[in-house]
Amino acid sequence: MDKIISKLDSSYKILDNESLSKYTTYNVGGIAKYIIYPSSIDKLVELVKILRNNNIKFKVIGNGSNLIFSSKTYDGVIIKLNYLNKVIYEDNILTVEAGYPVIKLAIETANKGLSGLEFASGIPGVISGLTYMNAGAYNKDMASIVEEVIVLDENNNIVKLSNKDMNFSYRYSILKDKNYIVLTVKIKLEYGNKEEILALIEDRKKRRMESQPLNYPSAGSVFRNPEGLSSWKLIDDLNLKGYSIGGAKVSEKHANFIINSDNASPEDIRNLIFYIKEKVKEKYDIDLIIEQEFVNWE
Ligand SMILES: Cc1cc2nc3c(=O)[nH]c(=O)nc-3n(C[C@H](O)[C@H](O)[C@H](O)COP(=O)(O)OP(=O)(O)OC[C@H]3O[C@@H](n4cnc5c(N)ncnc54)[C@H](O)[C@@H]3O)c2cc1C
Protein backbone atom coordinates (compact mmCIF):
# COMPACT_ATOMS: atom_id res chain seq x y z
CA MET A 1 0.00 0.00 0.00
CA ASP A 2 2.76 2.48 0.97
CA LYS A 3 4.35 2.18 -2.48
CA ILE A 4 1.08 2.83 -4.33
CA ILE A 5 0.23 5.81 -2.13
CA SER A 6 3.69 7.29 -2.55
CA LYS A 7 3.14 7.32 -6.33
CA LEU A 8 -0.01 9.49 -6.16
CA ASP A 9 0.46 12.91 -7.71
CA SER A 10 0.81 16.08 -5.67
CA SER A 11 -2.82 17.15 -6.21
CA TYR A 12 -3.78 14.72 -3.43
CA LYS A 13 -3.50 15.85 0.16
CA ILE A 14 -2.23 12.80 2.03
CA LEU A 15 -1.97 12.37 5.80
CA ASP A 16 -0.63 9.28 7.49
CA ASN A 17 -1.18 7.71 10.90
CA GLU A 18 -3.94 10.11 11.88
CA SER A 19 -6.26 9.51 14.81
CA LEU A 20 -9.80 9.00 13.55
CA SER A 21 -11.09 10.76 16.63
CA LYS A 22 -10.49 14.01 14.71
CA TYR A 23 -12.73 12.84 11.87
CA THR A 24 -15.78 11.63 13.77
CA THR A 25 -18.29 13.67 15.77
CA TYR A 26 -18.11 11.16 18.65
CA ASN A 27 -14.39 12.07 18.79
CA VAL A 28 -13.38 8.42 19.00
CA GLY A 29 -11.56 5.94 16.78
CA GLY A 30 -8.17 4.35 16.21
CA ILE A 31 -5.42 5.36 13.84
CA ALA A 32 -6.02 5.51 10.08
CA LYS A 33 -2.99 4.45 8.07
CA TYR A 34 -3.86 7.08 5.44
CA ILE A 35 -6.34 9.90 5.05
CA ILE A 36 -6.50 11.18 1.47
CA TYR A 37 -8.28 14.24 0.13
CA PRO A 38 -8.88 14.20 -3.65
CA SER A 39 -8.93 17.69 -5.16
CA SER A 40 -11.80 17.07 -7.60
CA ILE A 41 -14.43 14.56 -8.70
CA ASP A 42 -12.07 13.28 -11.41
CA LYS A 43 -9.35 12.76 -8.82
CA LEU A 44 -11.79 10.91 -6.54
CA VAL A 45 -12.66 8.58 -9.42
CA GLU A 46 -8.97 8.10 -10.23
CA LEU A 47 -8.13 7.35 -6.59
CA VAL A 48 -10.92 4.81 -6.14
CA LYS A 49 -9.86 3.01 -9.32
CA ILE A 50 -6.23 2.85 -8.13
CA LEU A 51 -7.25 1.55 -4.70
CA ARG A 52 -9.64 -1.03 -6.15
CA ASN A 53 -7.12 -2.22 -8.74
CA ASN A 54 -4.54 -2.72 -6.00
CA ASN A 55 -6.94 -4.31 -3.50
CA ILE A 56 -6.34 -1.58 -0.95
CA LYS A 57 -9.05 -1.28 1.66
CA PHE A 58 -10.74 2.14 1.70
CA LYS A 59 -13.78 3.98 3.00
CA VAL A 60 -15.19 7.30 1.82
CA ILE A 61 -16.49 9.34 4.72
CA GLY A 62 -18.33 12.62 5.02
CA ASN A 63 -18.25 14.40 8.35
CA GLY A 64 -18.12 11.16 10.35
CA SER A 65 -21.33 12.16 12.11
CA ASN A 66 -22.90 8.72 11.93
CA LEU A 67 -19.81 6.57 12.40
CA ILE A 68 -18.25 4.60 15.26
CA PHE A 69 -14.76 3.45 14.34
CA SER A 70 -13.21 0.85 16.65
CA SER A 71 -9.93 1.63 18.38
CA LYS A 72 -8.09 -0.72 15.99
CA THR A 73 -5.82 0.72 13.31
CA TYR A 74 -7.64 1.19 10.02
CA ASP A 75 -5.15 -0.48 7.70
CA GLY A 76 -6.22 1.28 4.55
CA VAL A 77 -7.30 4.64 3.19
CA ILE A 78 -10.00 6.95 4.50
CA ILE A 79 -11.12 9.25 1.69
CA LYS A 80 -12.23 12.72 2.78
CA LEU A 81 -14.34 14.88 0.49
CA ASN A 82 -13.67 18.40 1.79
CA TYR A 83 -12.44 19.65 -1.61
CA LEU A 84 -15.47 18.33 -3.48
CA ASN A 85 -17.37 21.40 -2.45
CA LYS A 86 -18.88 23.01 -5.55
CA VAL A 87 -22.53 23.56 -6.27
CA ILE A 88 -24.12 24.52 -9.58
CA TYR A 89 -27.46 26.32 -9.51
CA GLU A 90 -29.89 26.02 -12.43
CA ASP A 91 -32.79 28.03 -11.02
CA ASN A 92 -34.21 25.77 -8.27
CA ILE A 93 -32.26 22.68 -9.34
CA LEU A 94 -28.84 22.23 -7.69
CA THR A 95 -26.06 19.86 -8.61
CA VAL A 96 -24.02 19.44 -5.45
CA GLU A 97 -20.60 17.82 -5.19
CA ALA A 98 -20.41 14.96 -2.69
CA GLY A 99 -18.48 16.79 0.03
CA TYR A 100 -20.69 19.86 0.37
CA PRO A 101 -21.70 20.51 4.03
CA VAL A 102 -25.48 20.47 4.27
CA ILE A 103 -25.92 22.99 7.09
CA LYS A 104 -24.03 25.51 4.94
CA LEU A 105 -26.15 24.61 1.90
CA ALA A 106 -29.38 24.98 3.88
CA ILE A 107 -28.45 28.53 4.91
CA GLU A 108 -27.24 29.47 1.42
CA THR A 109 -30.37 28.21 -0.29
CA ALA A 110 -32.60 29.85 2.33
CA ASN A 111 -30.90 33.16 1.58
CA LYS A 112 -31.77 32.67 -2.10
CA GLY A 113 -35.43 32.10 -1.18
CA LEU A 114 -35.24 28.37 -1.93
CA SER A 115 -37.17 26.04 0.34
CA GLY A 116 -36.65 22.29 0.93
CA LEU A 117 -33.52 21.97 3.05
CA GLU A 118 -34.97 23.42 6.26
CA PHE A 119 -35.29 19.92 7.75
CA ALA A 120 -31.55 19.37 7.27
CA SER A 121 -30.36 22.70 8.63
CA GLY A 122 -29.16 21.05 11.86
CA ILE A 123 -27.76 17.78 10.43
CA PRO A 124 -23.96 18.04 10.56
CA GLY A 125 -23.06 15.94 7.51
CA VAL A 126 -22.19 16.38 3.85
CA ILE A 127 -24.63 15.88 0.98
CA SER A 128 -23.37 12.35 0.12
CA GLY A 129 -23.53 11.26 3.78
CA LEU A 130 -27.11 12.51 4.11
CA THR A 131 -28.10 10.86 0.82
CA TYR A 132 -26.50 7.54 1.81
CA MET A 133 -28.50 7.52 5.06
CA ASN A 134 -31.63 9.16 3.65
CA ALA A 135 -31.17 11.44 6.64
CA GLY A 136 -34.24 13.22 7.85
CA ALA A 137 -35.98 15.23 10.54
CA TYR A 138 -39.41 16.76 11.15
CA ASN A 139 -41.08 14.19 8.86
CA LYS A 140 -38.96 15.11 5.86
CA ASP A 141 -35.93 13.38 4.43
CA MET A 142 -33.52 13.44 1.50
CA ALA A 143 -35.90 11.31 -0.57
CA SER A 144 -38.20 14.33 -0.83
CA ILE A 145 -35.62 16.52 -2.61
CA VAL A 146 -33.19 14.21 -4.46
CA GLU A 147 -33.67 14.17 -8.23
CA GLU A 148 -30.68 12.06 -9.21
CA VAL A 149 -27.36 10.79 -7.88
CA ILE A 150 -24.25 10.24 -9.97
CA VAL A 151 -22.17 7.35 -8.64
CA LEU A 152 -19.09 5.36 -9.53
CA ASP A 153 -20.40 1.80 -9.45
CA GLU A 154 -18.53 -1.31 -8.33
CA ASN A 155 -17.24 -1.84 -11.89
CA ASN A 156 -15.87 1.70 -12.04
CA ASN A 157 -18.60 2.91 -14.40
CA ILE A 158 -20.17 6.31 -13.84
CA VAL A 159 -23.90 5.72 -13.48
CA LYS A 160 -26.89 8.04 -13.04
CA LEU A 161 -29.47 6.91 -10.46
CA SER A 162 -32.93 8.45 -10.38
CA ASN A 163 -34.81 9.06 -7.14
CA LYS A 164 -36.70 5.82 -7.82
CA ASP A 165 -33.45 3.88 -8.40
CA MET A 166 -32.28 4.99 -4.94
CA ASN A 167 -34.97 2.83 -3.24
CA PHE A 168 -35.27 5.37 -0.46
CA SER A 169 -37.14 4.43 2.72
CA TYR A 170 -36.80 5.36 6.40
CA ARG A 171 -33.03 5.98 6.93
CA TYR A 172 -32.30 3.74 3.95
CA SER A 173 -31.03 4.10 0.39
CA ILE A 174 -29.66 1.57 -2.06
CA LEU A 175 -26.17 2.97 -1.34
CA LYS A 176 -26.17 0.96 1.91
CA ASP A 177 -26.24 -2.28 -0.06
CA LYS A 178 -24.02 -1.40 -3.00
CA ASN A 179 -20.40 -0.57 -3.29
CA TYR A 180 -21.14 2.76 -4.99
CA ILE A 181 -19.23 6.00 -4.54
CA VAL A 182 -21.37 9.11 -4.68
CA LEU A 183 -19.92 11.85 -6.88
CA THR A 184 -22.72 14.42 -7.12
CA VAL A 185 -26.29 14.75 -5.90
CA LYS A 186 -28.92 16.71 -7.83
CA ILE A 187 -31.65 18.17 -5.64
CA LYS A 188 -34.80 20.10 -6.45
CA LEU A 189 -35.93 22.88 -4.12
CA GLU A 190 -39.04 25.08 -4.30
CA TYR A 191 -39.30 28.84 -4.49
CA GLY A 192 -40.48 30.29 -1.20
CA ASN A 193 -40.35 33.32 1.04
CA LYS A 194 -36.80 33.97 2.24
CA GLU A 195 -37.84 35.43 5.62
CA GLU A 196 -40.20 32.52 6.33
CA ILE A 197 -37.57 29.93 5.38
CA LEU A 198 -34.94 31.60 7.57
CA ALA A 199 -37.43 31.89 10.45
CA LEU A 200 -38.22 28.16 10.21
CA ILE A 201 -34.49 27.32 10.27
CA GLU A 202 -34.03 29.54 13.32
CA ASP A 203 -36.99 27.89 15.07
CA ARG A 204 -35.62 24.40 14.33
CA LYS A 205 -32.20 25.46 15.61
CA LYS A 206 -33.77 26.65 18.85
CA ARG A 207 -35.67 23.39 19.24
CA ARG A 208 -32.50 21.34 18.65
CA MET A 209 -30.54 23.42 21.15
CA GLU A 210 -33.26 22.89 23.74
CA SER A 211 -33.68 19.16 23.17
CA GLN A 212 -30.25 17.84 22.09
CA PRO A 213 -26.90 17.71 23.95
CA LEU A 214 -25.08 19.74 21.31
CA ASN A 215 -22.29 20.75 23.69
CA TYR A 216 -20.99 17.15 23.82
CA PRO A 217 -19.56 14.90 21.11
CA SER A 218 -22.22 12.50 19.78
CA ALA A 219 -23.48 11.07 16.52
CA GLY A 220 -27.12 12.07 16.86
CA SER A 221 -29.84 9.50 17.43
CA VAL A 222 -28.49 6.07 18.26
CA PHE A 223 -31.56 4.00 17.39
CA ARG A 224 -34.20 4.25 14.71
CA ASN A 225 -37.73 4.75 15.93
CA PRO A 226 -39.76 1.53 15.89
CA GLU A 227 -42.99 1.98 13.95
CA GLY A 228 -45.40 4.20 15.88
CA LEU A 229 -43.00 4.55 18.84
CA SER A 230 -40.12 6.80 19.89
CA SER A 231 -36.84 5.21 20.90
CA TRP A 232 -36.07 8.09 23.28
CA LYS A 233 -39.34 7.41 25.16
CA LEU A 234 -38.64 3.68 25.52
CA ILE A 235 -35.15 4.44 26.85
CA ASP A 236 -36.37 7.26 29.09
CA ASP A 237 -39.06 5.00 30.60
CA LEU A 238 -36.30 2.59 31.61
CA ASN A 239 -34.70 5.44 33.59
CA LEU A 240 -31.52 5.13 31.59
CA LYS A 241 -30.88 8.87 31.19
CA GLY A 242 -27.49 9.57 32.73
CA TYR A 243 -26.50 5.87 32.74
CA SER A 244 -22.87 5.50 31.72
CA ILE A 245 -20.29 2.91 30.78
CA GLY A 246 -16.74 4.26 30.98
CA GLY A 247 -16.79 7.70 29.37
CA ALA A 248 -19.97 7.08 27.34
CA LYS A 249 -23.25 8.28 28.78
CA VAL A 250 -26.94 8.30 27.87
CA SER A 251 -27.64 12.00 27.52
CA GLU A 252 -29.72 13.54 30.32
CA LYS A 253 -31.23 15.85 27.71
CA HIS A 254 -32.22 13.33 25.03
CA ALA A 255 -32.41 9.62 25.87
CA ASN A 256 -31.72 8.50 22.28
CA PHE A 257 -28.35 10.30 22.26
CA ILE A 258 -25.17 8.81 23.68
CA ILE A 259 -22.56 11.41 24.47
CA ASN A 260 -18.82 11.13 24.85
CA SER A 261 -18.87 12.76 28.26
CA ASP A 262 -15.44 11.84 29.53
CA ASN A 263 -12.84 10.50 27.14
CA ALA A 264 -14.97 7.55 26.03
CA SER A 265 -13.41 4.74 24.05
CA PRO A 266 -15.26 3.33 21.03
CA GLU A 267 -15.79 0.20 23.12
CA ASP A 268 -17.52 2.21 25.89
CA ILE A 269 -19.95 3.57 23.28
CA ARG A 270 -20.54 0.18 21.73
CA ASN A 271 -21.08 -1.50 25.10
CA LEU A 272 -23.56 1.17 26.13
CA ILE A 273 -25.49 0.82 22.84
CA PHE A 274 -25.79 -2.95 23.34
CA TYR A 275 -26.69 -2.53 27.02
CA ILE A 276 -29.62 -0.26 26.05
CA LYS A 277 -30.66 -2.65 23.28
CA GLU A 278 -30.71 -5.54 25.77
CA LYS A 279 -32.72 -3.61 28.38
CA VAL A 280 -35.32 -2.52 25.79
CA LYS A 281 -35.62 -6.09 24.53
CA GLU A 282 -36.02 -7.41 28.08
CA LYS A 283 -38.69 -4.89 29.06
CA TYR A 284 -40.69 -4.40 25.83
CA ASP A 285 -39.62 -7.32 23.61
CA ILE A 286 -38.61 -4.77 20.96
CA ASP A 287 -35.44 -5.11 18.88
CA LEU A 288 -34.18 -1.59 18.47
CA ILE A 289 -32.35 -1.02 15.19
CA ILE A 290 -29.06 0.86 15.48
CA GLU A 291 -28.94 3.91 13.19
CA GLN A 292 -25.21 4.53 13.63
CA GLU A 293 -22.60 2.56 11.70
CA PHE A 294 -19.79 0.52 13.24
CA VAL A 295 -16.62 0.61 11.13
CA ASN A 296 -13.49 -1.56 11.41
CA TRP A 297 -14.73 -3.81 14.23
CA GLU A 298 -14.44 -7.17 12.47
C1 LIG B 1 -25.79 16.55 16.66
C2 LIG B 1 -26.23 15.60 15.59
C3 LIG B 1 -27.53 15.67 15.10
C4 LIG B 1 -27.96 14.79 14.11
N1 LIG B 1 -29.25 14.90 13.67
C5 LIG B 1 -29.68 14.04 12.69
C6 LIG B 1 -31.02 14.16 12.19
O1 LIG B 1 -31.81 15.01 12.58
N2 LIG B 1 -31.40 13.27 11.23
C7 LIG B 1 -30.56 12.31 10.73
O2 LIG B 1 -30.97 11.54 9.85
N3 LIG B 1 -29.29 12.20 11.20
C8 LIG B 1 -28.83 13.03 12.15
N4 LIG B 1 -27.55 12.92 12.62
C9 LIG B 1 -26.68 11.82 12.13
C10 LIG B 1 -25.78 12.19 10.93
O3 LIG B 1 -25.48 13.57 10.91
C11 LIG B 1 -26.45 11.81 9.61
O4 LIG B 1 -26.63 10.41 9.53
C12 LIG B 1 -25.64 12.25 8.36
O5 LIG B 1 -26.39 11.89 7.22
C13 LIG B 1 -24.25 11.65 8.25
O6 LIG B 1 -23.54 12.42 7.29
P1 LIG B 1 -21.94 12.42 7.23
O7 LIG B 1 -21.55 13.28 6.09
O8 LIG B 1 -21.37 12.76 8.55
O9 LIG B 1 -21.66 10.92 6.86
P2 LIG B 1 -20.64 9.90 7.55
O10 LIG B 1 -21.11 9.63 8.94
O11 LIG B 1 -19.26 10.36 7.35
O12 LIG B 1 -20.88 8.61 6.66
C14 LIG B 1 -22.13 7.93 6.66
C15 LIG B 1 -22.09 6.84 5.59
O13 LIG B 1 -22.13 7.47 4.31
C16 LIG B 1 -21.11 6.92 3.49
N5 LIG B 1 -20.68 7.94 2.53
C17 LIG B 1 -20.44 9.26 2.76
N6 LIG B 1 -20.08 9.87 1.61
C18 LIG B 1 -20.09 8.91 0.64
C19 LIG B 1 -19.81 8.91 -0.74
N7 LIG B 1 -19.43 10.01 -1.39
N8 LIG B 1 -19.93 7.75 -1.44
C20 LIG B 1 -20.31 6.61 -0.80
N9 LIG B 1 -20.58 6.56 0.51
C21 LIG B 1 -20.48 7.69 1.23
C22 LIG B 1 -19.99 6.56 4.47
O14 LIG B 1 -19.10 5.60 3.92
C23 LIG B 1 -20.81 6.00 5.63
O15 LIG B 1 -21.13 4.64 5.37
C24 LIG B 1 -27.08 13.80 13.60
C25 LIG B 1 -25.75 13.75 14.08
C26 LIG B 1 -25.34 14.63 15.05
C27 LIG B 1 -23.91 14.57 15.54
Side-chain angles (χ1 to χ4, degrees), residues 248-281:
K249 190 193 230 182
V250 179
S251 163
E252 319 257 10
K253 219 169 173 182
H254 192 312
N256 197 23
F257 273 56
I258 287 178
I259 55 171
N260 178 353
S261 66
D262 186 15
N263 243 325
S265 67
E267 289 71 22
D268 293 339
I269 294 171
R270 186 184 154 107
N271 290 341
L272 186 52
I273 290 175
F274 282 96
Y275 178 81
I276 298 167
K277 217 171 135 45
E278 194 184 302
K279 290 289 156 198
V280 169
K281 176 74 179 169

Side-chain angles (χ1 to χ4, degrees), residues 59-60 62-67 126 128-130 132 135-136 182 208 293:
K59 181 153 180 80
V60 180
N63 195 35
S65 63
N66 203 49
L67 303 179
V126 305
S128 57
L130 268 82
Y132 178 99
V182 176
R208 276 185 186 263
E293 183 184 334

Side-chain angles (χ1 to χ4, degrees), residues 51 112 119 174 181 184 254:
L51 298 175
K112 289 180 190 287
F119 79 89
I174 195 171
I181 308 301
T184 60
H254 192 312

Side-chain angles (χ1 to χ4, degrees), residues 39-192:
S39 57
S40 65
I41 299 273
D42 288 348
K43 285 288 167 184
L44 169 61
V45 169
E46 178 187 82
L47 177 63
V48 169
K49 285 182 181 169
I50 293 171
L51 298 175
R52 282 178 172 164
N53 290 340
N54 289 284
N55 288 320
I56 296 173
K57 174 164 119 170
F58 72 93
K59 181 153 180 80
V60 180
I61 70 169
N63 195 35
S65 63
N66 203 49
L67 303 179
I68 312 168
F69 279 92
S70 72
S71 45
K72 289 198 308 187
T73 294
Y74 186 87
D75 196 18
V77 175
I78 298 294
I79 303 181
K80 282 282 291 171
L81 305 172
N82 300 47
Y83 301 135
L84 274 56
N85 60 0
K86 295 191 190 69
V87 52
I88 298 171
Y89 286 83
E90 290 165 272
D91 301 322
N92 56 329
I93 312 271
L94 283 65
T95 303
V96 189
E97 288 190 351
Y100 208 94
V102 171
I103 295 179
K104 183 173 169 224
L105 192 61
I107 305 288
E108 267 172 31
T109 52
N111 277 311
K112 289 180 190 287
L114 290 170
S115 168
L117 271 172
E118 297 87 332
F119 79 89
S121 60
I123 306 182
V126 305
I127 195 88
S128 57
L130 268 82
T131 305
Y132 178 99
M133 293 293 302
N134 189 20
Y138 311 104
N139 295 320
K140 273 202 92 180
D141 54 25
M142 290 302 288
S144 63
I145 54 168
V146 168
E147 289 279 291
E148 71 186 32
V149 182
I150 306 287
V151 299
L152 183 71
D153 76 5
E154 62 273 67
N155 300 313
N156 291 333
N157 295 313
I158 294 186
V159 176
K160 191 190 283 185
L161 302 174
S162 67
N163 180 296
K164 203 156 164 254
D165 296 332
M166 290 293 289
N167 281 352
F168 285 123
S169 60
Y170 177 51
R171 299 297 172 270
Y172 175 83
S173 82
I174 195 171
L175 302 171
K176 286 194 167 181
D177 289 320
K178 297 273 186 185
N179 200 0
Y180 292 169
I181 308 301
V182 176
L183 306 178
T184 60
V185 181
K186 190 179 266 190
I187 60 172
K188 185 176 179 189
L189 304 177
E190 302 298 331
Y191 291 106

